[in-house]
Amino acid sequence: MSACAPTRTDHSTRTERIHSPHSPPPAPHRRFRIAGADVSASIAVFLIALPLSLGIALATGAPLQAGLVAAAVGGIVAGWIGGAPLQVSGPAAGLTVVTADLIQRYGWRTTCAITVLAGLAQLGLGCLRVARTALAVSPAIVHGMLAGIGVTIAVAQLHVVLGGTPQSSVLDNLLALPAQLAGLQPAAVAMSTLTLTLLLLWPRIPGRVGRLVQKIPAPLVAVTGATATAALAGLTLPKVDLPSWSSHALAGLPEGPVLGLMAAVLTTTLVCSVQSLLGAVAVDKLIASRPALLNDRSARVGRSDLDRELLGQGAANIVSGALGGLPVAGVAVRSSANVRAGAVSRNSTMLHGVLVVVAALLMVPVLDLIPLASLAALVMAVGIQMVSLHHIRTVTRHREVLVYAVTTLAVVFLGVLEGVTLGIAVAVAVALHRLARTRITHYEKEGVHHVHVRGQLTFLAVPRLSRILHLVPRATHAVVELDGSFMDHAAFEALQDWQKSHTAQGGSVELTGRRSGTGLDTGTDVEADAEAGVGSRSRLGIAVGDGDSTAPPALDPARADEAPIADCRCRPWTPWRNHQCEVPRATTRTPQTSTTPTPTPTPTPPAAQPAEATSAASPAEAAGSPGTAQGRETTESTEPAKLSEPGQPEQDGQPEKPGTFVEPSGHQLVRGISAFQRNTAPLVRGELARLAREGQQPTQLFLTCADSRLVTSMITSSGPGDLFVVRNVGNLVPPPGEESGDDSVAAAIEYAVDVLEVRSITVCGHSGCGAMQALLDTEPGRARTPLQRWLRHGVPSLERMADDDRPRARLAGRAPVDAVEQLCLTNVVQQLEHLRAHESVARSLRSGALELHGLYFHVGEAQTYLLTEAAAGDGELFGHVGEVDMPA
């Protein structure tokens, strides 16, 4: 099998026929069946392609039939062979400048030969399977190239719109524009203005009428309107003149300098390939917005095979050039129209090519009525649209506007190949500048000297780094903040030598950075550390973690005679164990078993976990809730943290691991806040700013226990502004009139229901609730402490559980394990009854504006249970969430 033959892919568009062994023979396969959707889509694309093909041929200076040949070949050949079934190929506006230049230099027959050679080059690239590599070109270069081509087209066609003839270059066209304005042709200007007006206003017709008439493409309406007006008014102006096909010029042997011809082939190949591949990717995005095309068996449209698409484009250019047609490439306007018109297979693209052939043979008298000024106005509008404001905003946001501007101007004044080459050179220079640029600043704040390194720390930055570091006075506390992802050996050695010198003179050093696990440790090899870069440990003996800002000296001593305290390795919304972080023995006297950092979170076997231990990543991150950073790098997880004294025997099968201790709470608080300010605050600041402007609009009141193991945003996948949360000991709702001076819960309920107008209230209990255990253990006559006075609101739950006449609350699939769990379940049901007694709640329930829900969260299982109303007659049943349906 030839290496260049397109291979069958997983997304083949052919029907896969399966015949079971004992069934009747299948009916004969209908080879040429065409879906009705493909027929209607092909007509819509044909109506767009016909005037555009003539207009592009006019803009290049080629015979007008060449545009029709390219449109027909692009539809039939590229549509049949190509790897993007719904992409429509033909003469593209992006090739106008290149083709016009080739025709002026080498003539039409040699230009056709160059098109054939470009097609052969595309076949070779497709055989080498380098299509994906072509997409590595910076988008700023591609958009700049298209913008430059668009400017060139618009300026050239402006002369035709005004009734004149364009010059050979943009500069000449600009210089000749004043003279052209002085000699306007009123008829040409009128038809051009009418064409542009219809082109602009047709898609904007409002209402039902607009939806009906917009099924007719705007380019067809614009050209048809101008043609009819010119014919009815009897205007005398240049019109389309299609000579007999018998005199159509075909490709000839290339004539000209070899290097010039090679450059022409390279330019044509580059522009055709890049535009076609980018068009195929854009079509994939359009198809993704229509799930039916991906899931419907009758449609069978998969992702584009870019290498096969390159083969199809090459074959189309070979045929088009040989038949005397323009170069062929994927056309965005026609492709998007094809998808939006409902095409389901490549048949629509091929049928559109057949319709172009029919029109070229049978509609010549009609096409000869079209004014050239109308076609020029149509192509000028396409050129203007190629300068996309959206692309300009995108490259500006990504700080690539210099690459875009250089490419655009170079294409306009030098040519496409020269412009792309300059754009690539500028893009490489900008990338090297960003990689090599390092900003190092030094400032003093409250006696602490801060050195901030922003960018990659390489040998190029070592002189500046050394100069700034030596500005730090002796015997002072210094903080070096590494805001980058790479450190080479030279920078590593410079930083290490300065640290040793500074600590030897009585000073202290702390390093912070953006990545967890980064740092410098005295026990490792310098060579290995330098190869690992910032992500490893060095010999400085200072752990760098999570990008935490510096803690105050009083909370973070790092003196020469003391081991500095390790940074917290825990990050928000990642697996953690109560934030028990590894701390050297010399820093504190609170013992703690050691933690073992691992590259990815590894679940601890159930036998090694405490009954109520939790270690779950936040569902909010996976759900993409507001204020949650998606795609954040994986951080380190730790073994379960258990308190033990040195020398204490093993617990739960885990050996004692002396040498590490719990970090002091002051350090933990400051580091946690610092981690939030550095890592999380930049990600949620925009969402919080919106909430600050618009005010809170929560949809739920979530009433739950104050237990630290219940993270409401985690178990509900919610973010800022979603939940109005009330927490108290035991998730209790005191009945109206029994608050005894404590109206906080009732006030929150009233505010949530009447002011915030929440749509639901949820009471959430949990396993192992200490309040429920205290209720069971309360002895009559004991001293009334504040906790006991509060827990009296849970007495109705205790009485409900003891009432044998009432059905027991239970879990789906099993009975409660003990009396505490039974009381936890019963308490949720009882507090819902208390909620219904509140006036605002009862009023909203009667009007149907509010719903009540009961939840039970089992901490050890990380499982949420939802109270179902269907089992009300047989006891209150808490079912697994996911196995029950939430009320709408």
Side-chain angles (χ1 to χ4, degrees), residues 130-371:
V130 297
R132 289 286 174 186
T133 306
L135 297 179
V137 180
S138 170
I141 298 175
V142 177
H143 298 323
M145 177 190 73
L146 296 177
I149 292 173
V151 170
T152 305
I153 293 173
V155 173
Q157 295 309 299
L158 180 59
H159 284 270
V160 183
V161 166
L162 298 176
T165 303
Q167 305 298 317
S168 59
S169 67
V170 175
L171 190 57
D172 292 338
N173 282 322
L174 291 175
L175 293 176
L177 192 57
Q180 186 65 60
L181 290 173
L184 292 177
Q185 299 294 327
V189 173
M191 293 302 98
S192 300
T193 303
L194 177 60
T195 302
L196 293 174
T197 302
L198 290 174
L199 198 64
L200 180 65
L201 298 182
W202 188 259
R204 292 171 171 78
I205 298 177
R208 181 179 300 178
V209 175
R211 289 192 295 271
L212 291 175
V213 301
Q214 285 167 15
K215 294 181 180 180
I216 305 175
L220 179 66
V221 173
V223 174
T224 302
T227 302
T229 302
L232 293 175
L235 299 178
T236 303
L237 69 169
K239 297 180 181 179
V240 169
D241 183 15
L242 290 175
S244 172
W245 285 101
S246 60
S247 61
H248 180 63
L250 303 179
L253 293 176
E255 299 178 357
V258 176
L259 290 180
L261 292 175
M262 292 178 60
V265 172
L266 176 62
T267 304
T268 306
T269 304
L270 172 68
V271 179
C272 288
S273 301
V274 171
Q275 182 164 347
S276 299
L277 295 177
L278 291 176
V281 174
V283 169
D284 283 345
K285 295 179 181 179
L286 287 175
I287 293 175
S289 64
R290 294 178 56 197
L293 287 177
L294 300 175
N295 303 326
D296 190 0
R297 293 181 58 187
S298 64
R300 304 180 303 278
V301 177
R303 290 183 62 85
S304 299
D305 183 343
L306 297 184
D307 294 303
R308 178 177 172 179
E309 179 64 17
L310 210 51
L311 294 174
Q313 296 294 330
N317 274 312
I318 292 174
V319 176
S320 179
L323 296 179
L326 292 172
V328 171
V331 186
V333 176
R334 302 174 211 178
S335 301
S336 60
N338 191 36
V339 175
R340 293 192 174 99
V344 296
S345 72
R346 64 179 70 243
N347 290 334
S348 65
T349 303
M350 298 170 62
L351 185 57
H352 128 269
V354 173
L355 293 176
V356 172
V357 173
V358 173
L361 295 176
L362 302 180
M363 296 178 59
V364 173
V366 177
L367 297 178
D368 285 343
L369 298 176
I370 301 176

Side-chain angles (χ1 to χ4, degrees), residues 78 105 182 216 227 309 386 428 649 702 807 833 847:
R105 289 189 182 187
I216 305 175
T227 302
E309 179 64 17
M386 293 174 69
V428 171
F702 199 87
E833 286 196 6
S847 65

Side-chain angles (χ1 to χ4, degrees), residues 6 33 38 146 191 193 216 268 315 403 446 556 558 610 634 642 754 773 788 863:
R33 182 175 58 188
D38 284 333
L146 296 177
M191 293 302 98
T193 303
I216 305 175
T268 306
V403 179
E446 298 179 356
D556 192 8
T634 304
K642 293 179 286 185
D754 294 341
Q773 182 68 58
Q788 290 175 336
Q863 175 63 55

